[in-house]
Amino acid sequence: MSQAERTVPASFEPRPVASPAAWRLGDLSESRRWAYYLLLPSLLLVAAVAIYPVTSGVWLSFQRYNLLRAPVPSFVGLMQYADLAADAVFWTTVRNTAVWVTVGAFSQFLLGLITALALHRKGLRVGLLLRVGLLLPWLMPTVVAGHMWSLLLDSRIGVLNDLLVRLGLLHGYVAWFAQSETAMGAVLLVDLWKNFPFFTLLLLAGLQGVPEELYEAAEVDGAGAWYSFLRITLPMLTPVIVAAVILRVIGLVNSPDLMIILTHGGPGLATYVLSLLAFNDAYTGFDFGAAAAVATVMLVLLMAFTSAYVRVSGVTRD
Amino acid sequence: MDRRHFLKASLGSGSALLVAACAPQAVAPPGVSSSGAATSGPAPASAPAATIAPAALTGTVSYWHTFTSQSEMDGLDKVTKAFNAKYPKVTVNSENVPNSDFMAKFTLAVQGGGKPETTMISSVRLPDMVTMGGLIDLTSRVATWDQRQYLPPERFKDATVNGKIYGVPSFAFVNWMYYRADWFKEAGLAPPKTFDDFQNAAIKLTDPSKNRFGFGMRGAGGGEGLLIEVIRSFGSPIVDDKGEPAMDRQKATDAVRWYSELYTKYHAVPPSVTNDSFQQIMTGFSTGQTAMLWHHTGSLIDVGTALGADSGKFGTLPRPAGPAAHIADVSYSYNGMSDPKNADADWAWLDFWAQPDTQIAFLESTGYFPSSTKVADDARVQKNPYYAAAIETLKFGGPAPAFAGSSNWGLTVVLPNFQRVLLGEIKPEEAVDVMMKGLDKAVKG
Amino acid sequence: MCASRVSPVIRSRRQTQRLYDGLAYAVLIGTFGFAVFPILWTLLTSLKPNADIVTAEIQYLPLRPTLQNYVTLWGQAGFPVMFVNSTIVTALTVLVCLAVGITGAYSLSRYRFRGRGQLLLFYLVIRMFPAVLLLLPIFIALRVLGLYDTHLGLALAYTAFLLPVCIWVLKGFFDSIPPELEDAARIDGCTRAGAIVRVVLPLARPGVAATAVLVAISAWNEFLFALMLTTSQGIRTWPVGLQLMVGEYQLPWGLLTAGGIISIAPILVFFALVQRALVRGLTLGAVKG
């Protein structure tokens, strides 16, 4: 890999350490255990808040614990999982979740990427207004965004319906969330709108870290835009892409908020996803054992995806 | 070290709380059982008062509620002020909880601590809240209460579990029907009294060229309650007197078929039906898309504001009668006790809501139908032409079938499967089979 | 071609460049329209009186524009306080997350040790489990620690969830800064800590800024934990206030949209402040010695 030659500005010149505190920190940083000291704060915090809740959650999935029927948790082994496997609704949610996550992640990544590439383009006049405008959907609280979109796509007074009819693209208002064919697509559209700026933000910052010299060198060698993109941009962006995709996939699997506002899993079971199933089990059915089982399934699926993706992309390779 | 200590502490408190939550009967609220003697108040002839002299009663009362709109908050404000005037040493801390997350927050409090002293309870939520050990038995307090004369026993039915009373009714939601009186006049139709009339009117008033539909069916959240009313109108109960599943497959299927055909066969319902919840059906009715709307007295002010209270555009009617029964749910909003810390002050708050003056004040702000018969006899209620339908409904209407787990059954079994019938994915018989299976599971566990 | 003195190869490259420029503008305008239209609609709706929002004929521009919704919303009991609470909690969360996240991410980026891969995954675990089931343990924990219904308590709960985001994103940025630069600084006499502060952080400024924005937005808009871990007498935050407006039978569009617009304002300010840092990284990289 060619080394980017970046000179370090004069202000980076090391100075003799003055204060005792700095001396101590500097000294500390020279110790062999420096890597671990750096890790300690975050590790402690996450462990303290994560270990107990997650392990108790997983443990709960092996219990029968229903506030209405079995208020005292009792160990039942794999019964909750057996019930899930036998439940057709569960498998429907798995299928729906697969569609939801795949299409969602891809569409959001793609739109975020082309927007970041366009923003990064040298010589374009891109004002602050444009930059901020592109970020706005992500800033909007979900409760407002969800209700606004359900109003925009409303089959009686929805502005988007009105515009599409006026433009001649539709004959009449469509009840986007009421038909099983369009419900998932409509919710995916809202999620795309809300979350593509996440990718734009990260990918743009990543693009700005790619040294100009690499592109110039490639251009001198006669490389086209495509070649630069595939051989320079994407590889340099990989760490950021992997991080963003993993975080977004986790977000897609785990948050039912938008779904609850827009369709609550309907019509029928068309938009019923795993996170909604867990939510309903817990707070409508008060069956925390069943909810824990669904949650553990989600956890396992996510861990499998994340490990596989991380390994394939080589982000943690030496 | 920190982590281990923390883990031990949380494990310890977690299990302690679980145990506490698990034994609801063990929590004997201090004031209640002995209250029969201690709180038997002054003779009914005197002004309605709490047992301890109002000026002397002290304590803080926390109150969870789901009031949202300006009119409701105004009403609550009025009631709180009047309460403070009567009980100057008692402080009421009201906490507004978003309606959709109420049960989640309540469950968390039951399991982890922090239950409110008093809370607003809706009919559908009460059985679940009792079963998880979140509400306190009020039977003995109610038995000696002077307001009983104005609150007939059936008003407590929704608040009674296993013979014990857990809530005091504060106002009523009487299920009724709105209809476009002007459209009916135009078409020369009489207001519908039976399901046949209703279907007939819905079909006649549907006019796609004018973007008009006969009936704004609620096919999303909340619509399961309406379907259950239709099922009962066809003669199939949900559970019997002992609480055992008692659905009649044939009658329930007829009901689901009749109701769904309004959309699937006659297209008298807007095509957005499977995503139409309260917001949408209200929009439909207010913007002149639908001719008839099934809801309850709580929305009277909203409909009046949208269409004009005296415009003659709309009217109210009791629900039409089904082939086997005339069914209309009357549900009450109850106030109950959750944490017995200040039992007497809490009871004073609960009692206050049932006082006729309070109910009138609240009625004036919100239009919500009172729970006290004394208030219902008041001229302000009797003379209002819209309330006539509610008064008539109270003669035959009653509580919806509610049992621990009924909310969940309605939302996750009845509703999605009804939506699938509407979408044409399954037949009514198949939907009823799934519903009955789900009902067995919900009741028997 | 005869009139031009420029060689054909360079000319066609310029054409390609212009084509790509045009494409870029098209993409930006299209995406901008897509992103901003619903926001614009939210703004317009917030300026209409309620009676004009749900009407048979759609009103595009407000016929009777009014700021009443904003006035009513801000005047409603508790709303300004909720705004302040949200600001405090968000600020705390960003500070703690960055402080703790930068060190952790740096370590994971630079040092190879056994279990590094697994540790990275471990950080994500708390995000992989649905929040609804984590509520009770965290609720109990905060009560036990006496941090229930406090700014710090909520900020800590948020940090636990946002730290994985911080670490993964920051690690990604640290990864793309060549370690040779730090070696150069150390050869010149810097300590490792000094090298981080003097070399890595300035170069990672875009990444740090981006992470700060991510954390701030997530913390600002978070609803579920805010609802369960706060009370109206204590530190209830803004998103809870917005949700409170959505009742079983009511949805005041005017107030809700006004609330949405008010929500965006502080984040916009924060982003405007931070976005200079996002751009600065570009100029730094372009300097030639």
Side-chain angles (χ1 to χ4, degrees):
Chain A
M1 188 186 82
S2 67
Q3 259 190 39
E5 272 184 346
R6 253 186 267 181
T7 51
V8 174
S11 61
F12 287 176
E13 232 114 276
R15 286 183 288 264
V17 245
S19 70
W23 172 83
R24 268 203 296 273
L25 180 64
D27 226 37
L28 195 69
S29 71
E30 294 300 326
S31 79
R32 228 169 331 150
R33 295 234 174 78
W34 177 230
Y36 300 103
Y37 292 140
L38 281 173
L39 267 181
L40 213 52
S42 54
L43 198 54
L44 276 183
L45 191 59
V46 174
V49 189
I51 291 188
Y52 173 58
V54 175
T55 45
S56 77
V58 174
W59 178 239
L60 203 55
S61 71
F62 298 112
Q63 322 258 329
R64 182 165 146 79
Y65 178 42
N66 180 326
L67 277 190
L68 300 181
R69 268 172 218 312
V72 182
S74 58
F75 185 76
V76 287
L78 294 173
M79 186 201 87
Q80 299 282 11
Y81 294 98
D83 282 347
L84 273 186
D87 187 3
V89 172
F90 170 71
W91 292 108
T92 309
T93 60
V94 170
R95 267 200 311 276
N96 287 338
T97 310
V99 170
W100 167 247
V101 173
T102 326
V103 178
F106 256 120
S107 58
Q108 290 164 28
F109 170 69
L110 277 177
L111 188 58
L113 181 65
I114 63 174
T115 311
L117 286 171
L119 275 176
H120 182 65
R121 194 156 178 79
K122 209 170 32 164
L124 279 194
R125 278 179 311 157
V126 178
L128 184 64
L129 178 68
L130 190 69
R131 242 190 277 270
V132 167
L134 287 170
L135 204 62
L136 281 178
W138 202 48
L139 304 190
M140 192 59 99
T142 311
V143 60
V144 179
H147 282 104
M148 273 319 294
W149 271 97
S150 69
L151 187 62
L152 281 170
L153 291 174
D154 189 270
S155 60
R156 298 168 182 84
I157 57 172
V159 171
L160 283 182
N161 269 322
D162 197 50
L163 285 176
L164 288 172
V165 167
R166 279 176 203 245
L167 287 173
L169 294 167
L170 278 185
H171 291 296
Y173 284 27
V174 175
W176 300 97
F177 295 112
Q179 301 167 332
S180 29
E181 305 86 30
T182 55
M184 183 60 102
V187 187
L188 279 167
L189 178 70
V190 181
D191 207 79
L192 171 67
W193 176 84
K194 182 128 200 335
N195 290 297
F196 85 88
F198 170 79
F199 280 104
T200 306
L201 185 68
L202 288 181
L203 292 173
L204 182 62
L207 281 171
Q208 287 170 345
V210 179
E212 272 304 302
E213 298 80 12
L214 290 179
Y215 292 115
E216 284 160 17
E219 204 176 316
V220 162
D221 287 345
W226 247 138
Y227 184 88
S228 299
F229 178 68
L230 284 174
R231 291 306 179 92
I232 301 175
T233 316
L234 280 187
M236 292 288 295
L237 275 185
T238 302
V240 179
I241 292 180
V242 171
V245 170
I246 288 179
L247 288 170
R248 197 62 211 119
V249 165
I250 293 178
L252 279 166
V253 174
N254 254 326
S255 46
D257 317 26
L258 209 55
M259 213 65 109
I260 289 179
I261 296 176
L262 294 172
T263 60
H264 213 113
L269 294 170
T271 58
Y272 205 32
V273 290
L274 277 171
S275 54
L276 206 45
L277 180 63
F279 181 84
N280 273 341
D281 275 343
Y283 290 115
T284 320
F286 310 112
D287 190 344
F288 289 94
V294 178
T296 310
V297 168
M298 289 160 76
L299 176 67
V300 166
L301 287 175
L302 281 171
M303 296 209 88
F305 166 73
T306 309
S307 338
Y309 186 38
V310 161
R311 191 165 308 171
V312 162
S313 68
V315 158
T316 49
R317 216 180 287 147
D318 280 319
Chain B
M1 201 273 278
D2 269 56
R3 200 191 326 170
R4 246 174 282 146
H5 185 73
F6 158 75
L7 276 178
K8 241 196 278 183
S10 42
L11 269 166
S13 49
S15 39
L17 286 154
L18 274 175
V19 169
C22 301
Q25 278 70 34
V27 181
V32 177
S33 39
S34 57
S35 74
T39 60
S40 46
S46 59
T51 55
I52 304 176
L57 192 62
T58 58
T60 340
V61 177
S62 56
Y63 179 56
W64 281 11
H65 65 85
T66 55
F67 291 133
T68 319
S69 70
Q70 206 47 51
S71 54
E72 285 173 324
M73 297 303 281
D74 280 343
L76 177 65
D77 216 33
K78 269 195 212 164
V79 174
T80 312
K81 283 206 176 74
F83 182 79
N84 285 330
K86 187 171 178 190
Y87 299 92
K89 294 209 183 114
V90 178
T91 326
V92 176
N93 288 330
S94 294
E95 170 123 357
N96 196 355
V97 182
N99 184 61
S100 47
D101 306 285
F102 181 85
M103 280 314 272
K105 196 159 163 100
F106 189 77
T107 314
L108 202 67
V110 165
Q111 294 179 298
K115 283 187 291 200
E117 270 134 50
T118 59
T119 170
M120 190 168 127
I121 312 164
S122 69
S123 298
V124 291
R125 290 180 177 148
L126 195 133
D128 291 338
M129 286 165 81
V130 170
T131 314
M132 66 170 75
L135 294 177
I136 292 173
D137 182 8
L138 300 170
T139 320
S140 29
R141 279 202 193 248
V142 171
T144 56
W145 193 26
D146 59 358
Q147 290 299 316
R148 277 310 298 271
Q149 51 184 316
Y150 304 123
L151 293 168
E154 65 260 16
R155 298 193 182 195
F156 285 93
K157 189 149 181 273
D158 265 347
T160 310
V161 175
N162 290 335
K164 302 203 182 100
I165 298 178
Y166 291 92
V168 167
S170 49
F171 48 89
F173 291 127
V174 183
N175 277 11
W176 65 8
M177 187 165 87
Y178 299 97
Y179 72 110
R180 288 299 301 259
D182 49 355
W183 294 9
F184 270 75
K185 206 154 149 213
E186 204 180 288
L189 287 170
K193 289 210 165 60
T194 65
F195 271 20
D196 284 336
D197 296 338
F198 176 79
Q199 186 187 57
N200 201 24
I203 296 171
K204 280 234 174 67
L205 290 171
T206 301
D207 188 350
S209 68
K210 290 199 198 135
N211 195 31
R212 279 186 186 184
F213 295 90
F215 177 48
M217 184 187 286
R218 185 169 179 169
E224 67 274 13
L226 297 174
L227 176 65
I228 291 174
E229 281 178 301
V230 174
I231 291 178
R232 290 163 61 213
S233 302
F234 269 76
S236 161
I238 305 295
V239 289
D240 61 21
D241 293 326
K242 299 196 198 69
E244 295 296 312
M247 270 177 85
D248 179 314
R249 190 175 184 275
Q250 184 54 55
K251 294 186 181 143
T253 308
D254 290 340
V256 174
R257 185 176 304 118
W258 177 84
Y259 196 50
S260 58
E261 277 182 350
L262 286 167
Y263 173 61
T264 54
K265 187 165 167 200
Y266 301 111
H267 307 292
V269 170
S272 52
V273 57
T274 50
N275 197 46
D276 282 348
S277 184
F278 175 72
Q279 228 6 266
Q280 287 83 358
I281 57 172
M282 269 302 276
T283 305
F285 193 68
S286 322
T287 57
Q289 188 199 34
T290 51
M292 294 185 278
L293 178 66
W294 285 7
H295 197 240
H296 59 55
T297 50
S299 49
L300 179 61
I301 285 195
D302 290 328
V303 174
T305 315
L307 288 175
D310 294 311
S311 61
K313 277 197 182 150
F314 79 97
T316 57
L317 288 170
R319 292 278 180 85
H326 197 179
I327 301 284
D329 287 345
V330 177
S331 62
Y332 290 90
S333 177
Y334 293 96
N335 286 325
M337 266 199 247
S338 200
D339 186 312
K341 252 198 309 258
N342 289 299
D344 286 331
D346 298 341
W347 178 252
W349 177 240
L350 263 48
D351 156 84
F352 195 71
W353 275 93
Q355 299 291 328
D357 290 331
T358 313
Q359 298 223 339
I360 295 267
F362 200 71
L363 171 72
E364 280 169 352
S365 294
T366 60
Y368 288 172
F369 206 77
S371 62
S372 158
T373 52
K374 181 154 189 239
V375 178
D377 289 337
D378 187 283
R380 273 166 281 198
V381 173
Q382 293 287 331
K383 290 256 174 61
N384 187 327
Y386 292 118
Y387 284 138
I391 293 167
E392 162 125 13
T393 306
L394 282 171
K395 296 189 189 131
F396 63 87
F403 47 90
S406 56
S407 264
N408 190 40
W409 174 67
L411 192 67
T412 61
V413 177
V414 176
L415 185 64
N417 285 288
F418 179 59
Q419 286 176 340
R420 298 183 73 194
V421 175
L422 289 175
L423 291 169
E425 284 173 24
I426 56 177
K427 295 204 181 56
E429 319 62 276
E430 296 169 305
V432 170
D433 281 334
V434 178
M435 289 182 206
M436 288 178 72
K437 229 186 280 174
L439 181 64
D440 275 345
K441 187 157 179 262
V443 173
K444 301 200 180 120
Chain C
M1 205 68 91
C2 327
S4 159
R5 283 191 285 141
V6 175
S7 93
V9 173
I10 298 177
R11 182 124 197 267
S12 81
R13 176 164 293 148
R14 211 180 283 163
Q15 274 176 325
T16 332
Q17 289 303 318
R18 233 172 281 169
L19 179 67
Y20 281 124
D21 278 349
L23 262 176
Y25 273 124
V27 164
L28 285 177
I29 291 178
T31 320
F32 182 77
F34 175 57
V36 167
F37 178 73
I39 309 272
L40 200 58
W41 186 247
T42 307
L43 178 64
L44 287 175
T45 307
S46 71
L47 295 171
K48 295 178 190 160
N50 261 316
D52 289 352
I53 299 174
V54 175
T55 50
E57 284 291 315
I58 298 177
Q59 235 187 62
Y60 277 90
L61 292 175
L63 292 174
R64 301 181 282 176
T66 167
L67 286 175
Q68 186 56 42
N69 289 319
Y70 291 92
V71 171
T72 312
L73 182 66
W74 201 249
Q76 261 185 354
F79 271 77
V81 176
M82 288 195 266
F83 193 84
V84 170
N85 285 329
S86 271
T87 314
I88 298 177
V89 173
T90 302
L92 274 176
T93 310
V94 171
L95 285 173
V96 179
C97 267
L98 283 182
V100 175
I102 287 178
T103 52
Y106 180 80
S107 176
L108 286 164
S109 167
R110 290 294 182 249
Y111 299 108
R112 312 283 184 263
F113 46 86
R114 248 206 327 212
R116 179 169 155 257
Q118 284 75 8
L119 194 60
L120 268 171
L121 293 182
F122 170 73
Y123 277 109
L124 285 177
V125 165
I126 195 169
R127 285 188 76 87
M128 293 186 185
F129 215 63
V132 287
L133 277 143
L134 296 170
L135 272 174
L136 182 61
I138 293 184
F139 179 79
I140 294 178
L142 284 185
R143 284 179 81 91
V144 162
L145 292 172
L147 289 174
Y148 176 72
D149 210 14
T150 60
H151 294 110
L152 184 61
L154 194 59
L156 282 179
Y158 285 170
T159 305
F161 279 86
L162 292 172
L163 210 48
V165 178
C166 264
I167 288 185
W168 272 77
V169 170
L170 284 172
K171 174 182 175 302
F173 287 111
F174 288 148
D175 279 349
S176 40
I177 297 174
E180 293 78 17
L181 293 174
E182 292 155 70
D183 294 341
R186 286 199 69 209
I187 288 171
D188 286 340
C190 245
T191 60
R192 285 188 197 162
I196 297 176
V197 173
R198 292 197 173 87
V199 174
V200 178
L201 284 187
L203 286 174
R205 212 175 296 193
V208 174
T211 310
V213 172
L214 280 179
V215 172
I217 294 176
S218 305
W220 181 262
N221 280 332
E222 201 285 331
F223 162 71
L224 189 63
F225 276 62
L227 172 66
M228 301 302 180
L229 301 177
T230 68
T231 67
S232 58
Q233 261 83 48
I235 63 147
R236 184 168 268 187
T237 59
W238 185 254
V240 180
L242 291 182
Q243 180 76 2
L244 280 171
M245 290 196 276
V246 181
E248 203 174 346
Y249 316 118
Q250 301 89 356
L251 213 168
W253 290 110
L255 291 180
L256 190 66
T257 48
I261 299 293
I262 293 180
S263 275
I264 303 183
I267 302 283
L268 282 182
V269 168
F270 181 67
F271 180 68
L273 289 175
V274 151
Q275 86 107 22
R276 266 180 286 128
L278 273 167
V279 176
R280 209 179 284 172
L282 177 65
T283 54
L284 208 61
V287 165
K288 287 194 193 299

